[in-house]
Amino acid sequence: MAEDDHKDPAERIPDPRQLVAVLADTAKLRIFSALVLSTPGDGLSVEQAAEAAGASPAEARRALANLTAIGLAMPEQAQAQAHEQAQAHEQPQSPGQPSERYRATPEILRTSLRELSRRRDEAAAKAFTTDDPARLAVLLSSFRDGRLAHLPEKAAKRRIVLEEIAQSFEPGVRYPEAEVNGVLQGLHADYAALRRYLIDSGLLSRAEGYYWRSGGTVAV
């Protein structure tokens, strides 16, 4: 059994950056475009792909090998064409095996992007203090790269985000304002507004220049 057969299917999905790197090569991009624009179901032979892309057969062969290796193209025997020729009482050009043809598989781009998004969300979820799917969905849509991208407009969702931010402060500890600002500034540029939201939501309290946790969940 091939080594790749032991891998999880998700591990065999190429990273979108690898796909872009392959298509950044002009020759490969022209060949891929020729395959995408070919008649659905027919595919193109090496010679046809070369002609359509304005490349030499050798360039087309190398490009198709690379595109196939990363999943952007798929080779297939031209059995359907041979069958159609027989039905029309035409003799195939060669009595041997039908020539190999290729078709584009652009769906790998969408699959790759979905998998990248799934992996990023999975990694990001580990940074949060909850494993509740509904709460994680709100947090993942509100944070980007460890920082707050936006506060949800709906009160219930905003509460979930603020409760997560409140976890940055230990219960029973009194924090000077400068330290609170420093923590919140690491999450959002407008730390003053974020501080007010936490106080108005009853998650932080303040007196005499000090702040402390007064709401939210506590890990036990």
Side-chain angles (χ1 to χ4, degrees), residues 19-20 38 53 57 67 89 93 101 105 112 118 127 129 165 188:
L19 300 175
V20 171
S38 64
L67 292 170
H89 304 290
Q93 294 181 357
R101 301 173 75 84
T105 53
S112 180
R118 185 194 68 78
T129 60
I165 293 173
H188 196 273

Side-chain angles (χ1 to χ4, degrees), residues 36-189:
V36 170
L37 295 173
S38 64
T39 304
D42 286 354
L44 296 177
S45 66
V46 173
E47 293 75 16
Q48 289 172 327
E51 182 179 358
S56 69
E59 288 176 323
R61 194 170 290 106
R62 286 193 298 269
L64 287 167
N66 281 296
L67 292 170
T68 300
I70 202 166
L72 285 166
M74 178 181 294
E76 53 186 18
Q77 297 295 332
Q79 295 170 348
Q81 184 185 36
H83 177 71
E84 290 173 1
Q85 289 175 331
Q87 289 289 91
H89 304 290
E90 297 177 2
Q91 291 297 322
Q93 294 181 357
S94 171
Q97 290 292 327
S99 61
E100 196 166 47
R101 301 173 75 84
Y102 294 82
R103 66 177 178 86
T105 53
E107 59 271 15
I108 192 66
L109 292 165
R110 293 187 293 271
T111 301
S112 180
L113 286 171
R114 283 197 300 268
E115 179 59 20
L116 178 64
S117 178
R118 185 194 68 78
R119 290 179 182 180
R120 283 181 173 174
D121 285 352
E122 189 176 79
K126 294 178 181 178
F128 298 122
T129 60
T130 180
D131 57 3
D132 179 80
R135 294 177 71 88
L136 277 176
V138 174
L139 295 172
L140 287 170
S141 67
S142 302
F143 286 83
R144 288 291 180 274
D145 299 322
R147 290 178 59 83
L148 180 64
H150 72 279
L151 269 176
E153 293 184 4
K154 291 186 176 181
K157 292 184 177 181
R158 185 187 306 133
R159 177 75 185 189
I160 290 172
V161 172
L162 292 173
E163 285 181 352
E164 182 65 28
I165 293 173
Q167 297 295 321
S168 302
F169 303 98
E170 292 291 332
V173 178
R174 294 170 66 87
Y175 296 89
E177 185 171 298
E179 189 171 350
V180 172
N181 291 345
V183 171
L184 298 180
Q185 194 169 20
L187 296 172
H188 196 273

